[in-house]
């Protein structure tokens, strides 16, 4: 007899010529052989598995498993044909077999997890159950086509999931209140921010206007000084380079001073911001502590207080931040104005110094020209006297009235002493006559004057080292 199985069925043939069993979709059934048809379509099994978590909390796990023979593996199909196919798939025997495997593995897995892990990790828990149960069903040739784990349920007397659901609802409601408060806060804070920005922009425009005015005045002064001193700057280019180097050094010093001031302001701002952040964290932690402590009795009231503290902390932080930013901006503008003023003053001082330097140079050039002229004059005179230095010296002393000046000075010195001068001359009889009007010979008086010249020249020579000219005589060493 020739037998053919339907699409969801297989033929199991045993008997003569077959060592164990034979599975086929169609085959001849020979005399001495037996044939049985079994269905391979999957079946749904619904269970309510009672398990216990690691905290010894019982719960019910409703689950629906779709289980059937493994079609893609011949060995698994042979195993199913031997062990399960003789029984009806919906029979109590098969159901207890599958239920025992599923409940055993589910309880073992649940005992190693906390209730929170089971509740939050439903997907992972389902995957673990699926893998553990599938390992046990492989020995029966069964395959889990699908497994659905329904909502976890409380065991009567243990309402853990009920309380957990209430907690979630309260948290959602509180979060909604917080969102509403935050939206209201953002609106009010946004309005304050716009007002603050308007005031900041006004202050910024005023400061920039003052800076530009100062810069324009400085530029006007610089241009006026530059026009007046253009020629002097050209003649003193090298000195200007030195001044430029000094200017660069001054600018660098000013830049370093500015950076130091900016760094100081930034450090102050950073300290203020950090203080505000720490204050905010302290306020938040205090609010959280009070909220947790009072949540059981006054949850709504604690939430409102928490929102109020958060808003106050945020507002204080915002005010401190804006105040620090305003101080920083004002100091930056003051530094820029000081820098522009310093540059203008430095340029003016530089031009004044250049003018004084030019005047000194011109004065030095005049002195140099005068010295050169005098040198040429002396050289000409020295050539005229044949290189005789003594004759040149005597000429210059006579030409400049040096001897008259010496005589005048000596006369003034003698006049101050108020001396009594007596002139003695020899009379005709050899007697001495006192006085300058004694009626003696006038030539004798002249001879007396000439007799006084050698001692005078000797005195001048001793005092000044100068000798009288040759035409006036020479000094005898004796």
């Amino acid at each position: 007899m020739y037998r053919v199985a339907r699409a969801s069925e297989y033929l199991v043939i045993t008997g003569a010529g077959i060592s164990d069993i034979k599975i086929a979709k169609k085959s001849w059934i020979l005399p001495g052989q037996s044939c049985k048809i079994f269905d391979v379509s999957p079946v749904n099994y619904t269970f309510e598995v009672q398990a216990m978590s690691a905290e010894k909390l019982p719960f019910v796990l409703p689950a629906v498993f779709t289980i059937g023979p493994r079609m893609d593996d011949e060995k698994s199909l042979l195993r199913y044909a031997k062990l399960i196919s003789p029984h009806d798939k919906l029979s109590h025997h098969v159901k207890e077999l599958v239920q025992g495997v599923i409940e055993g593995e589910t309880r073992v897995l649940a005992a190693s997890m906390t209730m929170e892990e089971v509740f939050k990790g439903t997907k992972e828990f389902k995957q673990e159950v699926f893998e553990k149960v599938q390992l046990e069903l492989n020995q029966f040739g069964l395959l889990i086509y699908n497994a659905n784990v329904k909502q976890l349920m409380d065991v009567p007397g243990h309402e853990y999931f009920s309380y957990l659901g209430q907690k979630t609802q309260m948290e959602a409601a509180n979060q909604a209140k917080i969102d509403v408060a935050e939206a209201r806060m953002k609106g009010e804070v946004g309005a304050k921010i716009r007002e603050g920005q308007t005031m900041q922009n006004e202050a910024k425009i005023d400061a920039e206007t003052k800076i530009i005015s100062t810069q324009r005045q400085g530029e006007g002064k610089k241009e006026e000084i530059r026009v007046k001193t253009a020629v002097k700057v050209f003649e003193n280019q090298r000195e200007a380079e030195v001044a430029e180097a000094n200017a660069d050094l001054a600018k660098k010093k000013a830049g370093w001073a500015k950076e130091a001031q900016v760094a100081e302001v930034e450090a102050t701002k950073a300290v203020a911001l950090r203080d505000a952040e720490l204050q905010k964290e302290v306020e938040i932690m205090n609010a959280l502590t009070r909220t947790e402590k009072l949540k059981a009795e006054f949850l709504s009231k604690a939430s409102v207080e928490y929102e109020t503290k958060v808003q106050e902390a945020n507002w204080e932080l915002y005010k401190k931040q804006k105040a620090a930013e305003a101080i920083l901006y004002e100091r930056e503008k003051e530094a820029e104005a000081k820098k522009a003023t310093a540059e203008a003053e430095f340029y003016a001082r530089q031009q004044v110094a250049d003018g004084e330097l030019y005047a000194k140079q011109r004065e030095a050039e005049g002195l140099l020209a005068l010295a050169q002229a005098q040198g040429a004059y002396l050289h000409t005179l020295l050539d005229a006297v044949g290189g005789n230095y003594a004759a040149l010296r005597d000429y210059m002393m006579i030409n400049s009235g040096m001897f008259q000046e010496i005589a005048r000075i000596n006369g003034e010195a003698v006049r101050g002493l108020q001396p009594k001068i007596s002139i003695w001359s020899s009379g005709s009889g050899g007697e001495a006559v006192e006085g300058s009007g004694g009626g003696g010979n006038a030539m004798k008086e002249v001879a007396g004057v000439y007799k006084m010249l050698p001692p005078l020249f000797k005195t001048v020579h001793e005092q000044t080292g100068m000798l009288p000219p040759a035409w006036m005589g020479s000094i005898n060493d004796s």
Side-chain angles (χ1 to χ4, degrees):
M1 182 176 56
Y2 187 75
R3 298 290 299 273
V4 178
R6 288 182 293 182
S8 61
E9 294 178 343
Y10 275 92
L11 301 177
V12 180
I13 305 171
T14 59
I18 300 174
S19 59
D20 189 4
I21 62 174
K22 177 183 177 182
I23 298 177
K25 294 291 287 183
K26 55 185 177 179
S27 178
W28 287 98
I29 307 302
L30 302 177
Q33 294 181 347
S34 174
C35 177
K36 185 175 180 57
I37 299 176
F38 68 92
D39 192 0
V40 296
S41 58
V43 178
N44 289 332
Y45 296 94
T46 303
F47 307 103
E48 289 187 357
V49 181
Q50 292 189 358
M52 186 174 292
S53 67
E55 302 98 340
K56 303 298 187 291
L57 295 175
F59 64 94
V60 177
L61 178 65
V64 177
F65 285 81
T66 302
I67 301 175
R70 184 182 290 274
M71 302 291 296
D72 55 354
D73 187 7
E74 184 178 357
K75 292 182 179 180
S76 297
L77 193 59
L78 290 173
R79 195 176 295 118
Y80 175 81
K82 291 179 182 181
L83 302 176
I84 304 298
S85 64
H87 306 280
D88 186 3
K89 292 184 294 183
L90 298 177
S91 65
H92 184 68
H93 173 76
V94 176
K95 185 175 182 181
E96 283 187 348
L97 175 65
V98 175
Q99 184 176 1
V101 173
I102 294 174
E103 288 182 351
E105 295 298 328
T106 303
R107 290 193 182 101
V108 171
L109 181 60
S112 64
M113 302 175 66
T114 63
M115 186 65 75
E116 191 71 17
E117 292 174 348
V118 174
F119 183 75
K120 290 186 176 180
T122 304
K123 184 177 180 181
E124 291 77 9
F125 181 72
K126 170 186 171 182
Q127 185 65 27
E128 290 287 338
V129 172
F130 184 89
E131 293 176 356
K132 299 293 184 182
V133 172
Q134 182 60 58
L135 290 176
E136 295 297 327
L137 293 179
N138 285 338
Q139 59 186 337
F140 299 104
L142 294 173
L143 174 66
I144 300 176
Y145 285 92
N146 187 28
N148 290 324
V149 178
K150 298 182 179 179
Q151 182 66 38
L152 300 178
M153 299 172 59
D154 291 318
V155 175
H158 300 81
E159 288 76 15
Y160 175 80
F161 294 114
S162 176
Y163 291 144
L164 194 61
Q166 293 178 10
K167 176 184 176 183
T168 304
Q169 291 178 0
M170 292 299 295
E171 290 178 352
N174 292 333
Q175 185 63 39
K177 293 179 181 179
I178 291 173
D179 294 339
V180 172
E182 287 182 353
R184 187 182 299 110
M185 179 192 69
K186 289 180 179 179
E188 296 176 356
V189 171
K192 294 294 184 181
I193 290 174
R194 294 302 181 190
E195 294 178 1
Q197 290 178 348
T198 301
M199 296 176 65
Q200 291 178 8
N201 290 332
E202 291 177 356
K204 180 178 179 182
I205 292 172
D206 292 338
E208 290 179 350
T209 302
K210 293 180 180 179
I211 291 172
I212 292 173
S213 177
T214 303
Q215 290 178 347
R216 291 290 185 269
Q217 293 177 0
E219 290 176 356
K221 292 180 180 179
K222 288 166 61 177
E223 183 66 21
E224 181 180 357
I225 296 171
R226 186 188 65 81
V227 172
K228 292 180 179 180
T229 60
V231 177
K232 295 181 181 180
V233 171
F234 177 78
E235 294 177 350
N236 299 279
Q237 183 175 1
R238 190 166 301 277
E239 286 76 11
E241 292 177 356
V242 175
E244 183 179 0
N246 294 331
D248 292 337
L249 179 59
K251 288 181 180 178
K252 290 182 179 179
K253 289 182 179 179
W256 295 332
K258 177 183 176 182
E259 291 177 358
Q261 293 178 357
V262 173
E264 181 179 358
V265 173
E266 290 180 350
T268 304
K269 179 181 177 182
V271 171
L273 292 177
R274 183 56 182 167
D275 187 13
E277 291 176 357
L278 293 176
Q279 185 65 28
K280 177 182 177 182
E281 293 177 359
V282 171
E283 294 293 339
I284 291 175
M285 294 303 297
N286 292 337
L288 290 175
T289 303
R290 289 194 295 270
T291 302
E292 291 296 331
K293 183 177 179 181
L294 300 176
K295 184 180 289 184
E297 297 179 0
F298 308 100
L299 181 61
S300 299
K301 181 179 178 181
S303 299
V304 173
E305 291 179 356
Y306 168 75
E307 294 170 3
T308 304
K309 293 295 183 181
V310 170
Q311 292 178 1
E312 291 177 356
N314 291 336
W315 176 241
E316 290 296 331
L317 175 61
Y318 174 78
K319 290 195 296 183
K320 291 181 179 181
Q321 289 177 343
K322 292 304 179 183
E325 291 176 357
I327 293 173
L328 176 61
Y329 180 79
E330 182 178 357
R331 291 187 178 181
E332 288 179 352
K333 294 305 180 183
E334 289 178 356
E336 292 178 357
K338 290 180 179 180
K339 179 181 178 183
T341 304
E343 289 179 351
E345 293 178 355
F346 171 76
Y347 186 79
R349 291 178 181 178
Q350 178 184 353
Q351 298 304 320
V352 172
D354 291 341
E356 293 178 354
L357 179 60
Y358 177 75
K360 294 292 184 181
Q361 285 184 340
R362 299 303 296 175
E363 183 179 355
E365 291 176 358
L367 293 176
L368 179 61
L370 178 60
Q372 290 176 352
Q374 290 179 350
Y377 173 69
L378 293 176
H379 183 71
T380 303
L381 290 177
L382 189 61
D383 291 340
V385 296
N388 190 343
Y389 172 75
L392 176 64
R393 181 192 61 195
D394 294 339
Y395 170 76
M396 292 186 67
M397 291 181 64
I398 294 172
N399 189 39
S400 60
M402 179 64 71
F403 292 107
Q404 294 86 339
E405 185 67 19
I406 292 174
R408 186 186 64 79
I409 293 173
N410 291 331
E412 291 293 333
V414 173
R415 182 188 300 174
L417 296 176
Q418 297 181 354
K420 184 177 181 181
I421 301 173
S422 298
I423 300 175
W424 297 86
S425 61
S426 299
S428 60
E431 296 180 355
V433 180
E434 183 180 357
S436 57
N441 191 355
M443 292 305 293
K444 293 181 179 180
E445 298 294 336
V446 174
V449 172
Y450 275 98
K451 291 179 180 178
M452 293 174 61
L453 286 177
L456 177 61
F457 288 152
K458 186 175 183 181
T459 301
V460 173
H461 175 69
E462 291 175 353
Q463 293 180 359
T464 63
M466 299 182 183
L467 295 175
W471 55 271
M472 293 186 70
S474 60
I475 298 175
N476 191 356
D477 294 335
S478 59

